[in-house]
Amino acid sequence: MEFSHKSVLAQECMEGLRIRPQGIYMDATTGGGGHSLGIVQRLGEGGRLICIDRDDDALQAAGKRLEPYRDKITFVKSNFSDIAAVAKDLGISQVDGILFDLGVSSYQLDAMERGFSYMNDAPLDMRMDRSQSFTAGDVVNGYSQEELKRILWDYGEERYSGRIAAAICRRREEKPIQSTVELAEIIRGAMPPQALREKQHPAKRSFQAIRIEVNGELRAVEQAVQDSVDLLAPGGRRAVISFHSLEDRIVKNIFAQQAKGCICPPEFPVCVCGRKPRLKLVHRGVITAGEEELRDNPRARSAKLRVAEKIEGGDDNGI
């Protein structure tokens, strides 16, 4: 299928990044290139955009979409957690802005063969980078019952994680679980009647958890958000869109940590730690989609945007 993805909070991201025409920017999760297009259209002579994604389909689609601006863009296949290494390989020491649009794209959800969705029958895949060998099938059929329970609870916040893990293990004793619909039915069958009356699909949380495990998403978010502050030039901005509470909690905590100055105990008469804040928060709390965007793209409902700016003279003491 054709790669299609509606970029969420697009205008808010452009305003948050405060793009300089001669600046260097990184779209660390390029996807179909929607946010990248907004950035590169604001760049002038000498401006540069680095487009990063781990999904070959995304890079191919973004390349087509951004072809008119190819002279200002460098495409890199990489996990966004390796953003520091990407910059080093390109000989870039500082950038003026970085954008992270976390989670799974509309294309990945809608492409049946990718196995991200519980709505269509497909092999248990869920790989964002299809060159890796580890798939959802390896998790579902290879993890112990305790391991399954842990990831369903930790990454899906699934309160029936124990019942679902036990049901998966019982079924795979008969034969390996091979398809998304089969797994969704097992999950549905493990849940009590009251859970099935909820608005959301009973398999939603479990599929999220397995996808996060397959792709190492939360570890990547933590590393990328932690490391990327070093790449920002003074006055440079970092914008992060998250789609569920686990991602947003990581982003919120790291932003707060990097925006914090002295960490000496309150009883100390003077500061001895010498720590200075590295960032200032551009907005209090999060930015969410307005009603007009939600009417056009209901998937934007869970999107949360946080923006922070690098402070002149900020150091990394204690971080």
Side-chain angles (χ1 to χ4, degrees), residues 221-251:
V221 169
E222 185 165 9
Q223 182 173 342
V225 177
Q226 192 77 261
D227 292 351
S228 58
V229 69
D230 294 325
L231 286 174
L232 286 174
R237 290 187 171 188
R238 182 176 59 187
V240 186
I241 304 172
S242 60
F243 287 87
H244 56 75
S245 60
L246 301 174
E247 292 172 339
D248 184 58
R249 192 177 305 137
I250 292 171
V251 176

Side-chain angles (χ1 to χ4, degrees), residues 3-151:
F3 198 111
S4 61
H5 177 64
K6 291 183 179 179
S7 298
V8 303
L9 298 169
Q11 184 60 37
E12 292 84 350
C13 285
M14 299 305 110
E15 293 171 358
L17 288 172
R18 199 178 53 185
I19 296 162
R20 295 173 48 244
Q22 286 75 46
I24 301 175
Y25 292 85
M26 303 182 86
D27 186 346
T29 48
T30 297
H35 289 120
S36 293
L37 181 62
I39 295 171
V40 76
Q41 285 177 332
R42 289 165 171 79
L43 296 180
E45 190 70 29
R48 193 77 188 160
L49 173 63
I50 315 302
C51 290
I52 303 170
D53 209 285
R54 64 197 294 193
D55 189 327
D56 289 305
D57 291 347
L59 288 174
Q60 183 178 3
K64 292 179 181 178
R65 187 173 193 175
L66 302 170
E67 181 62 34
Y69 307 93
R70 194 64 187 251
D71 61 324
K72 292 184 174 68
I73 300 175
T74 300
F75 292 95
V76 180
K77 181 181 178 181
S78 178
N79 192 321
F80 63 81
S81 63
D82 296 324
I83 190 171
V86 169
K88 184 178 179 181
D89 289 344
L90 295 174
I92 296 172
S93 59
Q94 289 187 327
V95 299
D96 297 285
I98 305 171
L99 174 66
F100 296 94
D101 181 4
L102 305 176
V104 64
S105 72
S106 300
Y107 163 78
Q108 289 166 331
L109 285 172
D110 295 338
M112 291 177 56
E113 73 277 8
R114 301 295 294 269
F116 284 100
S117 175
Y118 40 78
M119 302 301 291
N120 300 304
D121 201 16
L124 286 172
D125 191 332
M126 301 194 195
R127 293 171 297 170
M128 292 181 178
D129 178 357
R130 289 198 279 185
S131 68
Q132 78 175 41
S133 59
F134 186 62
T135 70
D138 295 314
V139 174
V140 171
N141 291 300
Y143 277 27
S144 69
Q145 184 171 326
E146 280 304 308
E147 287 174 318
L148 287 171
K149 179 181 177 181
R150 176 188 61 80
I151 67 163

